[in-house]
Amino acid sequence: MPFLSLKFNLQKRVKLAQGLWMLYWLAVIVGIILFSLGIFFKVELRKRSEIMDNNESHLVPNLLILVGLLSCGLNAFGGKLCHDSLDPQKFSRMKPMLRPYMLLCCGFNALLLLLLLLCFLMQFAVYLTLAEGLKNAIRFYKDTDTPGRCFMKRTLDMTQIEFRCCGNNNFRDWFEVQWISSRYLDMSNDVVKDRVLSNVEGKYLMDSVPFSCCNPGSPRPCIQHHLTNNSAHYDYDHRTEELNIWSRGCRQAVFSYYSGIMNSIGTFILNSYFEVAGDVAGLKYLSTALETMADPENPECESEGWLLEKGFKETLADLLSKVKTFGRANQVEEGGASPDVAAT
Amino acid sequence: MALLKMKFSQQRRVRLAQGLWLLSWLAVMCGAFIFCLGVYLKIELLRRDEVMENTEIHVVPNLLMMVGLASIGANWVASRVCQDSLDASRFPRWKVLLLGWFAVAMLLCCLLLAVVVLSYALQGSLEESLKVGLRNGIRFYKDTDVPGRCFQKETIDRLQMEFRCCGNNNFKDWFEVQWVSNRYLDFTSQEVKDRIRSNVDGRYLLDGVPFSCCNPASPRPCLQNQLTDSRSHYNYEYQSEELNLYSRGCRQALTDYYMGLMNSTGPGVLSIILIQLSVLLSMRYLQTAVEGAMALESPEGESEGYILEKDVKATYADVKAKALDLLKFAQVDPTSEAAGAEEGEKAAEATEKAATPPPAS
């Protein structure tokens, strides 16, 4: 009893072939979109690799690019198959390629599922890389004269301005590092000497933040220095002041941006998975309908198309028995060897 | 002697019609492109509406949008004419419309050219508008509690950060206005009282700039206050410090941005003018060739296509004569009335004479 069988006459077969051809070309466009999404994501990761310690994993965008290219190729071939299927001569030439092609498509679908899983799981990796990278970025903010790190200040400032965030978890991260280079500190000044001596490592720490933490939406001009000292500024209470500097941490801000990208890519991959699965099912129907034509010379005859030749459970049982016979083949050889030995 | 005459066999006419059909659909796409360009330019101008004082520059995107829509319509009509041109029964109904179509197509080309010229000519007006708008923006920067002006601060800050500029002409514009609101000034402090008394208007002026003027590319953390005093900061020289703040003025930055936008679309618009002109010329050839073919005894034969029936001088004289005729028709001419009465009498006499001889014979 075939699984999910349908009857097809000539008109239905033609309609199926045409519809399937359009679906395959739609799938080619989807493949192109996947390819460009991969490139976009790769570029976005590269743009901010400095705040991720140049350590970020490019697995997801590389796989996306590969999957996009594969999808274009496979689906273009599938479209050609559909186009040729209604011509009996061409179809008989294509028949031997059908089974390996459909297995290849099923493998491709499995790859899509894997990519979907990766899209959601790699977000953890991005989060951890960001945390580490931002911590180092804040530490190296002042090293504008060290080769290899001289652009860290600009990168971090632009990141804080663009993502409207301050520091790693929040603005207090800036209180724990020296973010003013010693070149610009007057070491003969008493205030400077006091601050440097006030901590074990001799760092010039202050309760100030860089200008890029300032919120333009604040009604008052930005207060950057002496943030925790209420008496240093007129009409200022650091506990109730909300709009002066950005309250969000950059790790949270940048992560939600990347997480948004990866979630949308994941949703798109899910849609394309269903589309490719539909294509494979349609192709199976079309090929079985063409193969089971009662009278191959008469194109008007009716035929039957199905997804699986036997029912679902029977096909599964068949597969299992095939796997077992494959395993038993080795054992039979051993048993065959001993009678030979006994005969001699 | 026709202008730029060409011979058209039936096959050439068919090819011309097909080619013109494709060209007119290309021109429709170009019209849509022009429309989208106009919309984009208008949106960009509206985004910075708050720092512009007048809207004279808006004539460029408005014209672009109008011309784009008109071009889509006109070229769609051209494609319909092409489809009907090879069918002798359907072509005559387009005859009257074609004259109007030529006028519209010429007008569109002229308008597009005017847009290109205007986009250069209005640069001065844009600069003036920006000068006044930015001056007001800087003056009202501190008024975050005045309804209608409470977003000036945020607008100016975001503008300076996005366009990497400071002040109107340069950062010294901030030294001339009070940009710290009185709500945040401690009037009991001696320093504040000194500054307020130091100028006639009683404003709190300082040699400092807002944080949005800071340049992130500077190797040192941003210095915002006491900028003119080299001694107030360690290792700081006011005259030679270049990277600390943005050196460009916002008026210059915005003008450069908008001029760049309009200039980069210049070549595209010029090539669209060429496409429209070629549609116009091909349509004229098609019209004259098909009309010539319809007048022939055998419609499949050769006909001639031209741009103008006579050469330029003769056509000009013709058009002048027609125009004068039209003007004369409007005037009342007393001499022609009397001549008409005489003619009428002569005609009556002639009929009488014609009536009398037959009885004699």
Side-chain angles (χ1 to χ4, degrees):
Chain A
M1 186 53 214
F3 186 63
L4 288 179
S5 74
L6 288 173
K7 289 238 173 278
F8 287 97
N9 58 12
L10 175 72
Q11 212 188 18
K12 272 187 159 180
R13 277 199 297 271
V14 169
K15 280 237 166 84
L16 178 63
Q18 285 173 339
L20 207 55
W21 181 85
M22 293 241 317
L23 269 183
Y24 267 114
W25 280 106
L26 192 65
V28 170
I29 294 179
V30 163
I32 293 177
I33 294 179
L34 277 176
F35 176 76
S36 23
L37 274 177
I39 295 210
F40 166 71
F41 192 35
K42 200 168 172 80
V43 164
E44 282 296 308
L45 280 177
R46 272 288 173 84
K47 261 164 72 172
R48 304 202 170 81
S49 66
E50 241 189 305
I51 56 171
M52 293 201 266
D53 253 354
N54 293 325
N55 205 3
E56 74 276 12
S57 162
H58 279 253
L59 179 65
V60 170
N62 290 342
L63 257 186
L64 262 178
I65 291 175
L66 183 70
V67 161
L69 288 173
L70 264 181
S71 166
C72 282
L74 275 180
N75 291 315
F77 183 70
K80 186 168 178 324
L81 267 181
C82 289
H83 184 78
D84 291 345
S85 63
L86 290 172
D87 183 352
Q89 254 191 338
K90 288 191 188 165
F91 183 65
S92 50
R93 266 186 310 162
M94 294 255 166
K95 248 206 265 192
M97 289 197 267
L98 266 178
R99 202 175 152 73
Y101 173 72
M102 281 199 273
L103 282 175
L104 209 61
C105 279
C106 289
F108 176 73
N109 255 4
L111 187 62
L112 274 180
L113 272 183
L114 176 70
L115 191 57
L116 182 67
L117 205 64
L118 274 178
C119 258
F120 291 116
L121 289 180
M122 288 300 279
Q123 292 183 23
F124 292 109
V126 168
Y127 187 81
L128 292 171
T129 325
L130 261 180
E132 190 62 32
L134 277 172
K135 199 169 75 180
N136 289 336
I138 291 177
R139 256 185 26 218
F140 303 143
Y141 184 83
K142 67 184 187 333
D143 296 333
T144 47
D145 53 348
T146 312
R149 289 190 209 149
C150 39
F151 290 112
M152 194 60 96
K153 176 183 180 295
R154 187 171 74 172
T155 310
L156 195 52
D157 278 334
M158 297 304 288
T159 306
Q160 293 193 148
I161 291 177
E162 190 183 334
F163 286 92
R164 307 183 185 192
C165 59
C166 187
N168 203 340
N169 297 308
N170 53 40
F171 63 90
R172 283 171 216 278
D173 298 316
W174 289 107
F175 298 174
E176 296 159 14
V177 294
Q178 175 180 349
W179 54 273
I180 299 189
S181 173
S182 301
R183 287 175 288 152
Y184 307 116
L185 292 173
D186 182 7
M187 292 303 183
S188 57
N189 187 326
D190 281 332
V191 174
V192 176
K193 277 195 273 196
D194 280 342
R195 279 194 192 269
V196 170
L197 290 168
S198 70
N199 63 87
V200 188
E201 295 151 38
K203 291 191 287 186
Y204 180 79
L205 303 177
M206 10 171 234
D207 51 350
S208 312
V209 290
F211 77 94
S212 43
C213 283
C214 287
N215 182 356
S218 162
R220 96 183 274 171
C222 188
I223 295 173
Q224 280 178 255
H225 306 286
H226 310 295
L227 282 169
T228 50
N229 185 1
N230 285 349
S231 51
H233 313 278
Y234 182 68
D235 193 13
Y236 172 68
D237 184 0
H238 78 270
R239 272 175 290 258
T240 55
E241 187 66 50
E242 281 175 345
L243 284 174
N244 185 39
I245 49 178
W246 300 116
S247 47
R248 204 162 58 149
C250 284
R251 176 168 34 160
Q252 189 52 43
V254 180
F255 173 68
S256 57
Y257 172 70
Y258 279 120
S259 149
I261 293 182
M262 288 169 102
N263 285 342
S264 339
I265 292 181
T267 320
F268 190 74
I269 292 178
L270 192 65
N271 285 340
S272 62
Y273 168 78
F274 284 126
E275 223 234 331
V276 174
D279 281 344
V280 172
L283 188 64
K284 179 74 172 172
Y285 271 122
L286 186 63
S287 60
T288 46
L290 285 172
E291 279 166 6
T292 60
M293 280 203 289
D295 183 6
E297 302 300 313
N298 175 20
E300 304 267 331
C301 70
E302 275 210 357
S303 61
E304 209 183 338
W306 54 72
L307 272 181
L308 294 171
E309 203 168 339
K310 305 169 192 159
F312 191 61
K313 284 188 187 163
E314 289 174 11
T315 322
L316 219 62
D318 265 352
L319 263 176
L320 278 173
S321 62
K322 264 194 207 156
V323 170
K324 277 189 200 158
T325 46
F326 186 68
R328 227 180 274 162
N330 297 332
Q331 290 177 11
V332 165
E333 277 178 29
E334 284 179 23
S338 39
D340 281 342
V341 169
T344 52
Chain B
M1 183 57 207
L3 185 68
L4 293 175
K5 212 163 44 165
M6 277 173 69
K7 287 218 177 290
F8 285 98
S9 63
Q10 172 70 355
Q11 204 195 25
R12 271 184 104 184
R13 278 198 296 274
V14 170
R15 283 263 158 82
L16 178 64
Q18 287 171 338
L20 186 56
W21 185 83
L22 276 175
L23 198 62
S24 55
W25 275 108
L26 178 67
V28 168
M29 301 289 169
C30 293
F33 172 72
I34 295 260
F35 177 73
C36 295
L37 199 64
V39 168
Y40 174 67
L41 200 56
K42 182 111 184 145
I43 290 180
E44 280 296 308
L45 282 171
L46 282 175
R47 265 172 75 184
R48 309 289 165 198
D49 204 25
E50 284 193 48
V51 293
M52 290 198 218
E53 189 237 341
N54 62 36
T55 51
E56 269 177 33
I57 189 79
H58 282 249
V59 77
V60 172
N62 289 346
L63 255 185
L64 276 175
M65 289 197 285
M66 257 175 26
V67 167
L69 284 176
S71 165
I72 290 177
N75 291 312
W76 180 78
V77 164
S79 76
R80 292 306 307 275
V81 170
C82 287
Q83 275 180 320
D84 287 347
S85 64
L86 295 170
D87 187 351
S89 57
R90 303 220 312 241
F91 188 68
R93 69 178 175 181
W94 292 109
K95 254 186 156 169
V96 178
L97 197 65
L98 267 180
L99 213 60
W101 186 89
F102 284 123
V104 167
M106 261 331 280
L107 183 66
L108 285 179
C109 289
C110 294
L111 279 177
L112 275 177
L113 207 59
V115 161
V116 175
V117 167
L118 272 177
S119 68
Y120 286 103
L122 286 175
Q123 180 175 348
S125 158
L126 177 69
E127 277 203 44
E128 265 309 305
S129 163
L130 279 172
K131 184 162 106 174
V132 177
L134 280 170
R135 197 175 62 207
N136 288 339
I138 292 175
R139 259 187 14 220
F140 303 142
Y141 183 85
K142 66 181 187 334
D143 296 333
T144 47
D145 52 349
V146 175
R149 292 189 207 149
C150 40
F151 288 111
Q152 280 287 21
K153 177 181 180 295
E154 191 170 352
T155 309
I156 296 282
D157 277 336
R158 288 204 191 283
L159 188 77
Q160 292 193 145
M161 287 200 287
E162 190 177 329
F163 285 89
R164 305 185 190 202
C165 59
C166 187
N168 204 337
N169 299 309
N170 53 38
F171 63 89
K172 298 197 190 136
D173 298 317
W174 288 106
F175 298 174
E176 296 158 15
V177 294
Q178 175 180 349
W179 53 273
V180 184
S181 174
N182 285 337
R183 288 174 288 152
Y184 309 116
L185 290 174
D186 182 8
F187 285 98
T188 58
S189 145
Q190 191 58 37
E191 186 241 343
V192 175
K193 279 194 268 194
D194 282 340
R195 280 195 191 270
I196 289 185
R197 278 193 222 129
S198 73
N199 66 88
V200 189
D201 307 313
R203 291 180 290 170
Y204 180 79
L205 303 176
L206 30 106
D207 53 348
V209 292
F211 77 94
S212 43
C213 281
C214 287
N215 185 356
S218 163
R220 98 182 273 170
C222 186
L223 299 169
Q224 283 177 252
N225 305 310
Q226 291 151 339
L227 286 168
T228 49
D229 187 5
S230 296
R231 291 167 305 160
S232 54
H233 310 280
Y234 182 67
N235 196 8
Y236 170 67
E237 178 63 49
Y238 165 58
Q239 256 80 22
S240 59
E241 187 66 49
E242 281 172 347
L243 283 174
N244 186 38
L245 306 171
Y246 293 124
S247 48
R248 207 163 53 151
C250 286
R251 183 180 51 183
Q252 189 58 42
L254 278 169
T255 308
D256 285 347
Y257 173 67
Y258 283 121
M259 282 300 130
L261 210 59
M262 290 198 269
N263 290 348
S264 60
T265 57
V269 173
L270 283 174
S271 46
I272 289 177
I273 294 178
L274 283 173
I275 292 179
Q276 188 68 55
L277 272 176
S278 48
V279 168
L280 194 133
L281 288 173
S282 314
M283 181 60 90
R284 177 66 178 162
Y285 270 122
L286 186 67
Q287 177 202 27
T288 46
V290 168
E291 279 176 358
M294 288 199 308
L296 288 176
E297 287 135 18
S298 64
E300 307 276 316
E302 250 194 24
S303 67
E304 272 179 8
Y306 44 77
I307 305 255
L308 293 172
E309 200 168 344
K310 307 166 191 162
D311 67 354
V312 187
K313 279 193 187 157
T315 319
Y316 179 61
D318 266 351
V319 171
K320 219 167 84 170
K322 272 200 199 138
L324 285 172
D325 268 346
L326 270 173
L327 283 174
K328 259 194 219 165
F329 192 71
Q331 284 179 8
V332 173
D333 198 353
T335 49
S336 68
E337 266 190 8
E342 277 181 35
E343 278 178 27
E345 279 180 23
K346 279 189 193 160
E349 280 181 36
T351 45
E352 279 179 22
K353 279 187 190 163
T356 43
S361 65

